[in-house]
Amino acid sequence: MANFEKVVVETDLLILGGGMAACGAAVEAAYWAKQNGLKVTLVDKAAVDRSGAVAMGLSAINQYVGLKDGHNSIKDYVDYVRNDLMGITREDLVANIARHVDSSVHLFEKWGLPIWKDEQGGYVHEGRWQLMINGESYKVVVAEAAKNALLQSGVGEIFERIFIVGPLMDGDRCAGAVGFSVREDKFYIFKAKATVAAMGGAVHVFKPRSAGEGLGRAWYPPWNSGSSAYFTIAAGAEMTCQEVRFIPVRFKDAYGPVGAWFLLFKSRATNATGGNYMVERVGELEKWGPYGRVKPIPANLRNYLGMLDILEGKGPIYMRTEEAIQKIADTYKDDPKEYKKKMKELESEAWEDFLDMTISQAILWAASNVQPEERSSEIAAAEPYFIGSHSGASGAWVSGPEDLQTDDTRKDYFWGYANMCTVKGLFAAGDASGASSHKFSSGSHAEGRITAKAAIKFIVENNTLPKVDDNEIGLKMAEVLKPLDTYEKHKNETTDPEINPNYIKPRMFMFRLQKIMDEYAAGISAQFSTNESQLNRALELLAMLREDSDKLAAENHHELMRCWENIHRMWQAEAHVRTVLFRQETRWPGYYFRADKPKLDEEKWHVFANCKYDPKAAKWEVFSRPVRHVFPKA
Ligand code: SFD
Ligand code: AMP
């Protein structure tokens, strides 16, 4: 076996990940740990300052309820999320985040994040729930507060560049995690009384549009690879909404955001013939039950109307940037000086929107001579991602807060500690927790805070370090490092290290996974459409892929990480395919279409589709759970 030093770390609370949810968890945990004399350990595969989805920055905070201004209520937000997710959402979880999110935003501002202000000193809204920010350094600001909270209070420690592979278990209780350094020959064993999984969602499970040297360019950051899903599945936790992937419509090829264009600049998107699918196809919305009639129209239905244009050969679809800018500037047309000033301002806002969060889109505009005030830009539906914090919903099935349960929901949605999975001592937040979409960066931070507080309560009430069998640790270490051994053993049996009959490199393995998902599980090549036979074929091919995962080979630390990232993706893929197969209807056209079950079926399928893997029996179970209301329906 590869010669790695074994490092054992004992702690009270273990926070896995260093993104928005983990940073929220760190701030809250530091406070409660100090009160209770506990230790907190945060582990990130990267450097907290720039890790996760917010690494490049963001141009907006997408969840701000504004309770203080009295414009919106918590119920308003719950109604919005329920409708956007076509009726399938955990209202207790959404409401819990909604009532805490504003305070996370106020903290961001206090820590130095510039939020746009209007002339009266109020926040500039992009849309009803979204605030405009100068967010290039958003993650650095949030990370600094998390690091200060943990390190200055003396309760915490932070490990960076440690890739977490999977859970440690003590019977039915989570006992911590194992991982390895991506820089040094060290294998880490973290033993903890409670563990928070906050390792983001997953990208590159599906074949991306990008090819060749652009391959790493996707909407979602390439380093979030399904570790949260794998961790919770491997611990035996119940998962939810694994079918609810997210497909963002983005500026084509560099994936620039569209929110500011649609909401702030009030832009239209039109097809090759100048038609507006949102107007011309409005009749289609009638087919999608009550959800087709709400405002805003759910994200998947907006996608779907555009996709119908593409299917009918009416592409490309263009964001009419030039028209939107002109329309706003026209309100100043009687004052040439003001008009010129406004045009300059709008032009710079357009560029800043990309420079704050998707720099490559600004580079693509520059490289292809696009001036947004003069020329439209193509938009397109991206490949599917798993991001339960945005407009998808996949994640672990977690307990809601006690005070938001009704007599009806208490039995199904509550088991003691907010955001605890169905596995004792294991908690999930941000993309790691499911059925609570539209939390975005701010809501994920708030959910991290909620989760850490509950996890500390769990520790105080269950204050024993779980036992971990040394034998099990030895087996895990051998399993984790195996790709290095496989490479060493067989590296000389080929003239090209990339191709060898005795092993498979992680890059090739990823291509194989992506091809299966793309062609059989409603990826881009399949026009986001699938059916029962295709899904069963995907499962056959995934089973063979799983067999071959035993032969993954790594030349160095970096490739070892790539091996495990792809194993994590493969498990996310399987949970997805099994759940799409289970749900016998089409509920989210625009995310995926079950061509053999092409209609919404409110009577039978107004339920959550949950799944669970039993690691001992090596068996999946997929089943439904009721959708119950905490608030009266809108
Ligand atoms: O509009 C391991 N999001 C946006 N939110 C907003 O509020 N405003 C926006 O403007 C947003 N836009 C946006 C957004 C996301 C993306 C990808 C883009 C644009 C391009 C959503 C938020 O970013 C998202 O909701 C939150 O970041 C979710 O928080 P969290 O904590 O669940 O995930 P994370 O921040 O990505 O952090 C993950 C962490 O896990 C680490 N990690 N650590 C150890 N071991 C492993 N195996 C690990 N695997 C991962 C990561 O390093 C990271 O620290 S808009 O365009 O949509
Ligand atoms: P995006 O850039 O698409 O991630 O959008 C940012 C925010 O605006 C998210 O909260 C989206 O749900 C929302 N959004 C984007 N486009 C629209 C639209 N056409 N109508 C309503 N909300 C939108």
Side-chain angles (χ1 to χ4, degrees):
M1 186 168 65
N3 190 17
F4 272 44
E5 180 192 343
K6 218 192 256 181
V7 183
V8 180
V9 179
E10 286 188 2
T11 189
D12 293 306
L13 178 63
L14 179 63
I15 301 172
L16 301 177
M20 291 306 290
C23 285
V27 167
E28 192 77 22
Y31 176 81
W32 294 107
K34 183 118 187 142
Q35 309 284 314
N36 291 284
L38 301 173
K39 178 178 165 190
V40 183
T41 302
L42 182 145
V43 188
D44 192 348
K45 76 190 270 195
V48 183
D49 273 353
R50 287 277 178 195
S51 69
V54 187
M56 266 200 285
L58 294 178
S59 57
I61 285 175
N62 283 351
Q63 188 187 6
Y64 182 72
V65 179
L67 291 172
K68 205 171 62 175
D69 316 333
H71 293 318
N72 297 309
S73 66
I74 294 170
K75 181 179 175 305
D76 290 333
Y77 203 76
V78 171
D79 288 341
Y80 163 55
V81 178
R82 186 200 312 111
N83 286 329
D84 208 76
L85 269 295
M86 307 290 282
I88 309 295
T89 203
R90 278 277 300 274
E91 297 184 5
D92 58 333
L93 301 177
V94 175
N96 199 19
I97 296 167
R99 66 181 170 174
H100 288 105
V101 70
D102 291 358
S103 58
S104 269
V105 174
H106 300 151
L107 283 172
F108 300 157
E109 192 172 26
K110 189 176 121 195
W111 294 332
L113 178 72
I115 305 183
W116 292 18
K117 293 284 175 55
D118 61 22
E119 275 145 23
Q120 287 75 44
Y123 293 140
V124 172
H125 278 254
E126 180 184 69
R128 181 171 176 188
W129 311 107
Q130 300 86 356
L131 304 180
M132 296 303 293
I133 57 174
N134 293 105
E136 184 276 335
S137 297
Y138 187 6
K139 184 65 204 300
V140 181
V141 169
V142 170
E144 184 184 37
K147 289 197 290 192
N148 285 346
L150 285 184
L151 303 179
Q152 289 176 5
S153 63
V155 301
E157 60 186 352
I158 297 176
F159 289 83
E160 294 184 329
R161 299 197 172 85
I162 308 293
F163 183 84
I164 293 296
V165 174
L168 273 179
M169 300 298 291
D170 174 9
D172 62 353
R173 180 173 172 186
C174 182
V178 293
F180 58 88
S181 163
V182 297
R183 296 278 164 96
E184 300 170 298
D185 292 347
K186 287 184 179 169
F187 179 77
Y188 280 87
I189 299 130
F190 295 98
K191 296 183 182 176
K193 294 172 185 164
T195 302
V196 176
M199 294 173 283
V203 62
H204 287 326
V205 172
F206 282 82
K207 189 165 149 197
R209 283 188 185 275
S210 311
E213 64 175 12
L215 193 63
R217 186 70 208 123
W219 172 74
Y220 197 56
W223 46 81
N224 278 0
S225 55
S227 297
S228 298
Y230 175 80
F231 195 94
T232 44
I233 292 170
E238 186 171 328
M239 306 296 286
T240 191
C241 298
Q242 292 298 306
E243 75 281 36
V244 196
R245 54 175 67 200
F246 176 43
I247 294 187
V249 161
R250 287 293 178 267
F251 281 86
K252 191 164 176 299
D253 295 331
Y255 300 86
V258 299
W261 284 99
F262 281 134
L263 300 180
L264 187 71
F265 296 127
K266 312 257 179 303
S267 178
R268 299 189 306 153
T270 57
N271 63 28
T273 62
N276 180 348
Y277 55 83
M278 294 303 291
V279 175
E280 291 177 350
R281 295 194 182 272
V282 80
E284 174 68 28
L285 296 172
E286 287 302 316
K287 296 185 191 157
W288 302 100
Y291 317 110
R293 290 187 284 273
V294 296
K295 288 278 176 298
I297 298 163
N300 66 290
L301 291 181
R302 299 198 301 267
N303 285 2
Y304 184 55
L305 300 189
M307 284 173 186
L308 290 174
D309 266 12
I310 298 286
L311 281 172
E312 275 183 19
K314 292 183 173 169
I317 307 281
Y318 289 103
M319 180 73 83
R320 300 296 299 274
T321 56
E322 79 303 352
E323 181 190 84
I325 288 183
Q326 196 59 53
K327 228 163 139 189
I328 302 172
D330 274 356
T331 51
Y332 298 84
K333 67 175 181 300
D334 298 332
D335 182 343
K337 216 168 132 200
E338 270 306 303
Y339 176 85
K340 215 169 148 195
K341 198 170 132 207
K342 192 68 192 168
M343 277 304 272
K344 271 245 147 314
E345 196 181 299
L346 290 167
E347 188 200 332
S348 77
E349 280 173 8
W351 284 91
E352 183 181 336
D353 186 42
F354 293 156
L355 289 169
D356 270 354
M357 67 189 285
T358 316
I359 298 148
S360 41
Q361 183 70 55
I363 294 170
L364 186 63
W365 263 5
S368 45
N369 299 331
V370 172
Q371 286 170 303
E373 67 281 18
E374 285 176 8
R375 213 175 124 186
S376 314
S377 285
E378 233 184 296
I379 56 172
E383 59 278 0
Y385 307 108
F386 297 91
I387 172 165
S389 68
H390 202 291
S391 312
S394 53
W397 182 247
V398 295
S399 174
E402 184 165 16
D403 67 317
L404 287 181
Q405 305 305 323
T406 65
D407 291 345
D408 232 16
T409 63
R410 181 168 283 269
K411 178 165 76 60
D412 302 301
Y413 296 171
F414 174 70
W415 50 94
Y417 299 92
N419 280 72
M420 189 166 90
C421 301
T422 55
V423 167
K424 238 190 283 166
L426 176 58
F427 293 74
D431 293 319
S433 76
S436 50
S437 326
H438 290 275
K439 44 197 166 186
F440 301 103
S441 61
S442 45
S444 296
H445 190 272
E447 197 186 22
R449 289 167 47 215
I450 293 165
T451 304
K453 188 173 172 186
I456 295 267
K457 184 166 185 276
F458 173 89
I459 294 172
V460 170
E461 292 169 7
N462 300 270
N463 207 345
T464 50
L465 194 64
K467 287 188 197 57
V468 192
D469 184 23
D470 275 347
N471 215 13
E472 190 193 329
I473 291 177
L475 289 173
K476 281 216 184 295
M477 185 167 168
E479 185 194 354
V480 169
L481 302 181
K482 187 172 174 194
L484 291 170
D485 301 334
T486 303
Y487 181 77
E488 271 312 305
K489 191 161 162 213
H490 296 293
K491 68 179 181 193
N492 295 326
E493 296 160 17
T494 180
T495 48
D496 180 350
E498 290 303 304
I499 299 160
N500 190 313
N502 295 303
Y503 65 65
I504 179 165
K505 280 289 195 86
R507 196 173 158 83
M508 298 301 175
F509 186 90
M510 183 181 76
F511 289 149
R512 203 168 128 191
L513 170 68
Q514 290 178 347
K515 185 168 157 64
I516 297 169
M517 296 305 284
D518 182 54
E519 293 178 353
Y520 299 100
I524 287 173
S525 322
Q527 300 287 2
F528 307 109
S529 176
T530 185
N531 62 29
E532 185 177 331
S533 307
Q534 284 178 312
L535 292 163
N536 279 323
R537 180 72 183 130
L539 285 178
E540 266 175 14
L541 293 168
L542 284 173
M544 284 189 257
L545 187 71
R546 174 126 67 102
E547 267 175 39
D548 288 348
S549 66
D550 202 38
K551 299 248 172 72
L552 273 162
E555 219 172 313
N556 49 40
H557 294 88
H558 186 73
E559 273 194 353
L560 184 62
M561 177 173 72
R562 292 282 182 257
C563 288
W564 281 102
E565 284 177 345
N566 286 316
I567 290 178
H568 291 178
R569 290 187 173 108
M570 179 183 74
W571 281 83
Q572 173 64 87
E574 188 165 346
H576 181 59
V577 171
R578 287 184 184 279
T579 318
V580 174
L581 190 58
F582 176 74
R583 184 180 281 283
Q584 307 261 316
E585 62 160 357
T586 295
R587 182 164 290 262
W588 297 274
Y591 288 172
Y592 73 87
F593 203 89
R594 269 286 301 256
D596 53 342
K597 305 276 174 196
K599 290 195 182 134
L600 181 77
D601 183 349
E602 280 286 80
E603 212 176 294
K604 286 205 199 113
W605 287 102
H606 189 98
V607 289
F608 292 104
N610 284 9
C611 65
K612 198 175 155 179
Y613 182 74
D614 176 350
K616 283 200 194 91
K619 274 217 163 84
W620 282 95
E621 199 191 338
V622 192
F623 47 93
S624 64
R625 293 267 184 208
V627 172
R628 300 196 191 282
H629 299 287
V630 168
F631 294 93
K633 263 208 272 182

